[in-house]
Every structure is written in C-alpha cells, then in structure tokens.
Amino acid sequence: NCALCHFNLAYAYHENNQIEYAQESYEKAIDLDPTCSLFLEHLARLHFENQDYLEAIRFFHRSSLIGHIQPISLGLWGRALFEQGLYEQSIETFEHLLEREQQPTIFAGANYWLALANLKLKRVAASRQITNKLLKHQNVDHKLLCELGEHFIEAKCLSIAKKIFESVAIQKEEEILVRLRLDDIKSIEKQIDEMLPKLFDGDEER
C-alpha cells in the first residue's frame, strides 16, 4: 500500500520499455495517492510516448491542477495538443513554457512548435515573427530550421523559407540539400516573376 513504491516500480518498468506493467503500476500509485502531481505527470508522459495524445492531455491537465509541472512535461503537453489539432491551446502551453524556461534547447523547440501552430491557424505574420526570433538565436539546430523551412514552403511563404535556408547555408556550408532547396525556391520565384505580368491586361491593372 505504498504509493511511492508503486511509482518507483512503474518508473523502472517505464525505463525498461515494459509499457503495460509501467502503466499498471503508475495507475496503482495514483489510486493510492491521487494528489501527487508527479505520478500523474509520468503517466501522462507514458501516454504521450504511446501516441495516446488525448489521455496524455488529460493527465497533464490533472497534474497541473495539483502541483508544479516540469518544463519537459509542459513541452510534451503542448505537443500533444498540437497533434490533436488544438492549436490555440498548444500556443498557450508553449508560451507558458517560455515564460518559465529559456534554456537554449527548450527555447528553440518551443518556438519551433509555436511557429508551426501559428502557421496551422493561418497566422503567417506571427509565425514569421517567431521564426525571425529563432534565426537571431545562437546554436539553433539546423535540422529543426530546415524542417521549419519546409513547412513555410508548403504554406507558400517563400521569402521566410528562403531566409531560413540562406541562414543554414551560411552556417553549414556542407549542407548540399539546403543549397538545392534554395535553388528550388529561386526557381519558383522566377516562375512567379514570369507569371505576374500575364495576369493583367491594362496598364492601370498592371
């Protein structure tokens, strides 16, 4: 009947990737002590890892109502909300994370998901602003920036995508794929330049 013993057993199962046993032991710990936010938080993480995002959201929420939720859990909570298409709530969660924590990895990750969530909501200006802040920050993982650039291309936001890939190309000269992507963007821009004059007939319209 010791909740902490069940939690420690669950943690060991979790680390050993014995998911069913871990979940059972986390749930037993929570049954014995439903007021411990740490127990709820770890069960939420387990659900997140299993891509059971709705359950992860539910337990992260319960945990936050009881106690102080850890930064990594806030990030996972924001991700779970994003994966469920709850973009407004995802933005709120990542903003809350950035208010509490400015460690470089967390700063980069949180802003990456903030930019994507705003893109999903068609808030291009907000997404560009967040991305510009990321580009000014030192030591942001270039793979993360490239992924963001791909999302901007998909959203037809070529100027910010070009800026991202140019920034990565300067820092990582060996990135051939980045340079190829820049060539793709320039090719699209050339097509646009050729199309625009043909869209209108009269001088005034042009």
Side-chain angles (χ1 to χ4, degrees):
N1 293 322
C2 173
L4 187 58
C5 287
H6 283 286
F7 171 75
N8 287 330
L9 179 60
Y11 190 85
Y13 281 136
H14 194 167
E15 288 292 297
N16 207 36
N17 205 34
Q18 294 174 270
I19 302 304
E20 289 184 16
Y21 291 130
Q23 183 171 334
E24 186 180 322
S25 294
Y26 279 138
E27 287 171 350
K28 182 65 177 175
I30 291 164
D31 286 343
L32 291 168
D33 186 359
T35 63
C36 181
S37 64
L38 186 66
F39 298 169
L40 293 161
E41 193 175 327
H42 277 266
L43 181 55
R45 289 189 198 181
L46 185 74
H47 282 299
F48 179 89
E49 290 166 17
N50 287 334
Q51 298 183 355
D52 188 357
Y53 298 122
L54 283 174
E55 281 297 280
I57 290 165
R58 186 166 73 88
F59 281 103
F60 280 132
H61 180 67
R62 276 182 62 186
S63 177
S64 71
L65 293 175
I66 294 169
H68 185 78
I69 191 166
Q70 296 176 72
I72 189 171
S73 292
L74 267 178
L76 295 178
W77 188 3
R79 275 283 316 279
L81 290 162
F82 181 93
E83 297 296 341
Q84 287 299 304
L86 301 168
Y87 303 122
E88 289 281 8
Q89 290 168 259
S90 178
I91 287 168
E92 287 176 17
T93 305
F94 282 118
E95 285 176 344
H96 181 45
L97 172 59
L98 287 170
E99 286 171 8
R100 282 182 45 185
E101 184 64 61
Q102 286 289 313
Q103 191 262 343
T105 306
I106 289 175
F107 175 89
N111 277 295
Y112 170 84
W113 290 104
L114 277 173
L116 285 193
N118 276 289
L119 260 187
K120 291 288 186 182
L121 293 168
K122 310 295 184 189
R123 297 174 183 167
V124 177
S127 190
R128 289 171 67 98
Q129 187 177 18
I130 292 162
T131 302
N132 281 323
K133 188 164 48 174
L134 260 181
L135 291 172
K136 289 176 185 174
H137 208 266
Q138 296 295 319
N139 302 321
V140 176
D141 186 351
H142 69 278
K143 291 179 182 177
L144 182 144
L145 289 174
C146 287
E147 286 179 21
L148 193 53
E150 295 291 344
H151 285 288
F152 275 114
I153 290 174
E154 189 180 332
K156 299 178 175 64
C157 303
L158 296 183
S159 59
I160 188 68
K162 187 177 179 182
K163 188 174 181 180
I164 290 169
F165 286 114
E166 283 175 343
S167 172
V168 174
I170 291 167
Q171 297 173 37
K172 300 282 180 180
E173 292 182 1
E174 75 280 6
E175 286 292 331
I176 297 170
L177 289 176
V178 170
R179 296 191 177 279
L180 288 173
R181 217 62 183 109
L182 277 170
D183 289 341
D184 290 340
I185 293 169
K186 287 171 185 174
S187 175
I188 296 168
E189 287 178 334
K190 186 179 178 182
Q191 290 174 35
I192 292 167
D193 289 341
E194 290 171 356
M195 286 167 54
L196 282 175
K198 299 173 186 175
L199 294 178
F200 308 103
D201 295 325
D203 289 336
E204 188 175 341
E205 290 170 327
R206 189 176 291 116

